[in-house]
Amino acid sequence: MEIKVEIINRELIKPSSPTPHHLRCFDLCLLDQLQPKVFIPLVLFYSNNSTVNPSDLPHFKAADISHRLKTSLSETLSRFYPLAGRVKDNVSIECNDAGIDYLEARVNCSQSDILERPEQKMLYHFLPKEIVCPQPSTERLVLVQVTFFDCGGMAIGVCVSHMLADAATTCMFIDSWARAALATRASDIAVLLPEFSAASRIPPRIEFNIRSPSRRLGNGTTVTRRYVFHASNIAALKAKAASTKVPQPTRIEAVSSLIWKCAIIASRSNHRSLMPSMLTQMMNIREKLVPPFPKNAFGNLVCTFGAQTTESEIQLHNLVIELRKRKEAICEDYATKLYGDEAFSIVSEKFKQLGNLLASKDIHNIFFSSWCRNPLYDADFGWGKPTWVTVATMVLNNPIVLMDTRDGSGIEAWITLSEEDMALFEHDKELLEFASFNPSVLN
């Protein structure tokens, strides 16, 4: 079936109250300056949920839903005021309340057509076209597309500029928006407020000369597959990955290490060489620093670390040990030093080291981004929690995106590899022992 999406309305949503004059210039922090100029693209799918009281949302009328979404979005932008502004220069945002794009669309299929057998390329139908290219031309910092299905379900596509937001900030924005929508009929709903202190502790540099580690675009054809690791399989995988050095691997460590191992084996088989491999991952450092940032700190409070292996015989538990060691090392390095002028020195050095490794053609690189433990499945705008939340992968070299499953105990992985590597990867017996290939979201 050919999916056709019709845009039926486009509006500019502005903050419900003007940003005070003294807040009109928002400083980026040093870590914001390192981020690529791409959008973080999330899609939340909502079914026509019969458990919601029809008197609360009569017949799920599109006009009623859209009115609630736009009103609460406007209120949320007044709290997250930098997102409604425009980039001023390489160190600041002009918080001029210019607004964000809000699109409404209809699609010629049922939601079950998408959720029964999800494909990555389908997700782009539910996102504004402006963000699909590697270097988006739009000056907006947030774009939203609400798409209505024939069955009464809907999809909310949210795209936030990576210049201002990491995964935690994006999830906080969506959570605050959902709470604002619920608050229109329940006065006891607490709405989250962002905290804007990042630039005061990790100031930007006007003369910015740090080169962010380059994650090369894939050469040739890439293939994306979806795998789901259910809770019982993760428990078995953690037991298999355990060792005396890491007796209790985390869910993310166990799943990441298995995917990494299978990707290494596939790459080495195709290249017919024992090429070293490096896993690069982003990590939220809000609570890792001394003193810690609050959980609601706004911005890109993340660091990148790389774990390497040169083993000729790849052992799962050794990959877990290497991951844990590199995470702890980066936390130790950043914990007390990411402050003021010293932040620039340490970030420059770390990124230089990582950049040299990523630029090498003699190292197999794979990039992980984990969205797990972010409360996206709690985003209830007034008609129930989402049936499925997912992220459209960005056009980086070999990206692996990890998301929680709806029950919070499993992990969903979007895995992108070269066509040649994927042909071997998807038949790996150890992978298929613990992961299910693209199961229905509806089961």
Side-chain angles (χ1 to χ4, degrees):
M1 173 183 181
E2 183 182 0
I3 298 174
K4 293 183 179 180
V5 176
E6 177 191 3
I7 303 298
I8 57 177
N9 186 39
R10 181 188 288 265
E11 294 184 38
L12 197 63
I13 305 297
K14 298 185 177 185
S16 59
S17 57
T19 300
H21 182 74
H22 69 284
L23 298 177
R24 287 273 168 155
C25 182
F26 175 78
D27 287 336
L28 300 171
C29 77
L30 177 65
L31 301 181
D32 293 325
Q33 292 182 290
L34 294 171
Q35 303 310 315
K37 294 180 180 180
V38 298
F39 280 85
I40 299 173
L42 277 170
V43 188
L44 299 88
F45 290 87
Y46 292 86
S47 301
N48 190 347
N49 190 345
S50 60
T51 62
V52 177
N53 189 335
S55 64
D56 290 337
L57 198 61
H59 309 299
F60 296 97
K61 291 180 180 178
D64 296 334
I65 291 174
S66 191
H67 176 73
R68 176 178 290 186
L69 285 174
K70 289 187 290 187
T71 301
S72 53
L73 180 56
S74 178
E75 294 170 1
T76 304
L77 286 174
S78 68
R79 302 180 183 100
F80 289 76
Y81 57 90
L83 295 179
R86 298 291 183 265
V87 177
K88 183 178 180 180
D89 49 42
N90 73 328
V91 297
S92 62
I93 302 296
E94 183 180 3
C95 303
N96 56 6
D97 300 331
I100 69 171
D101 277 359
Y102 177 91
L103 288 71
E104 292 176 28
R106 293 192 181 280
V107 63
N108 67 332
C109 66
S110 173
Q111 194 177 91
S112 61
D113 295 330
I114 304 296
L115 303 189
E116 188 61 46
R117 193 168 181 80
E119 296 290 344
Q120 181 69 207
K121 63 183 179 180
M122 292 179 177
L123 299 178
Y124 293 100
H125 291 292
F126 308 103
L127 297 167
K129 291 182 179 179
E130 291 90 335
I131 64 97
V132 174
C133 59
Q135 295 292 333
S137 58
T138 179
E139 61 178 7
R140 274 59 161 164
L141 296 173
V142 178
L143 298 94
V144 172
Q145 179 175 316
V146 179
T147 306
F148 297 97
F149 289 88
D150 291 340
C151 60
M154 62 183 292
I156 301 178
V158 181
C159 306
V160 181
S161 173
H162 212 331
M163 285 185 66
L164 281 178
D166 58 9
T169 295
T170 300
C171 294
M172 178 172 58
F173 171 69
I174 293 172
D175 184 65
S176 185
W177 179 17
R179 288 169 181 256
L182 274 180
T184 61
R185 62 185 178 87
S187 59
D188 60 340
I189 301 295
V191 178
L192 292 176
L193 297 175
E195 195 269 351
F196 296 107
S197 68
S200 64
R201 277 182 60 180
I202 314 174
R205 299 283 289 214
I206 296 176
E207 299 298 326
F208 186 72
N209 58 3
I210 302 178
R211 291 193 63 186
S212 183
S214 175
R215 296 188 284 271
R216 302 183 305 273
L217 298 181
N219 296 319
T221 305
T222 59
V223 178
T224 302
R225 298 280 188 260
R226 172 178 170 265
Y227 290 87
V228 174
F229 296 79
H230 296 294
S232 57
N233 286 340
I234 291 177
L237 178 60
K238 287 171 64 177
K240 184 175 183 178
S243 64
T244 54
K245 290 186 177 180
V246 184
Q248 292 290 332
T250 67
R251 295 187 314 149
I252 304 302
E253 287 171 340
V255 169
S256 298
S257 295
L258 176 61
I259 295 172
W260 187 17
K261 177 183 178 181
C262 298
I264 293 171
I265 292 171
S267 178
R268 286 182 175 179
S269 296
N270 281 322
H271 287 89
R272 297 181 181 178
S273 72
L274 296 178
M275 184 183 292
S277 180
M278 184 168 74
L279 181 154
T280 309
Q281 192 167 25
M282 302 292 289
M283 180 171 62
N284 183 344
I285 58 172
R286 285 167 175 79
E287 296 178 69
K288 309 291 185 183
L289 302 183
V290 180
F293 275 98
K295 288 184 178 180
N296 61 331
F298 182 93
N300 285 284
L301 292 167
V302 292
C303 70
T304 304
F305 70 91
Q308 300 175 62
T309 182
T310 56
E311 288 184 336
S312 57
E313 191 71 30
I314 305 297
Q315 299 292 329
L316 183 64
H317 70 274
N318 284 341
L319 296 182
V320 171
I321 291 170
E322 173 67 8
L323 265 182
R324 178 70 64 88
K325 181 171 68 175
R326 295 302 174 184
K327 281 196 301 183
E328 290 177 346
I330 201 75
C331 288
E332 185 176 327
D333 286 342
Y334 274 49
T336 59
K337 300 174 184 176
L338 208 60
Y339 196 95
D341 290 337
E342 191 173 11
F344 183 77
S345 299
I346 188 171
V347 169
S348 297
E349 182 59 29
K350 292 296 180 186
F351 272 53
K352 181 181 178 180
Q353 294 171 3
L354 193 57
N356 289 338
L357 290 170
L358 287 171
S360 173
K361 295 181 180 179
D362 299 321
I363 297 178
H364 167 251
N365 285 302
I366 192 164
F367 176 72
F368 274 75
S369 176
S370 174
W371 287 72
C372 295
R373 300 306 186 203
N374 283 305
L376 287 166
Y377 278 99
D378 291 334
D380 182 353
F381 290 84
W383 48 85
K385 295 182 179 182
T387 301
W388 188 41
V389 180
T390 192
V391 62
T393 61
M394 290 176 265
V395 284
L396 302 173
N397 191 39
N398 293 1
I400 314 294
V401 180
L402 305 181
M403 307 281 293
D404 283 324
T405 53
R406 184 169 42 184
D407 63 7
S409 58
I411 292 177
E412 175 181 291
W414 286 107
I415 301 171
T416 302
L417 300 173
S418 69
E419 193 172 37
E420 296 79 10
D421 285 359
M422 184 61 79
L424 297 177
F425 178 91
E426 62 187 353
H427 295 293
D428 190 290
K429 292 182 179 179
E430 190 174 18
L431 172 73
L432 298 177
E433 178 185 351
F434 297 101
S436 301
F437 171 64
N438 203 22
S440 169
V441 174
L442 302 174
N443 291 338

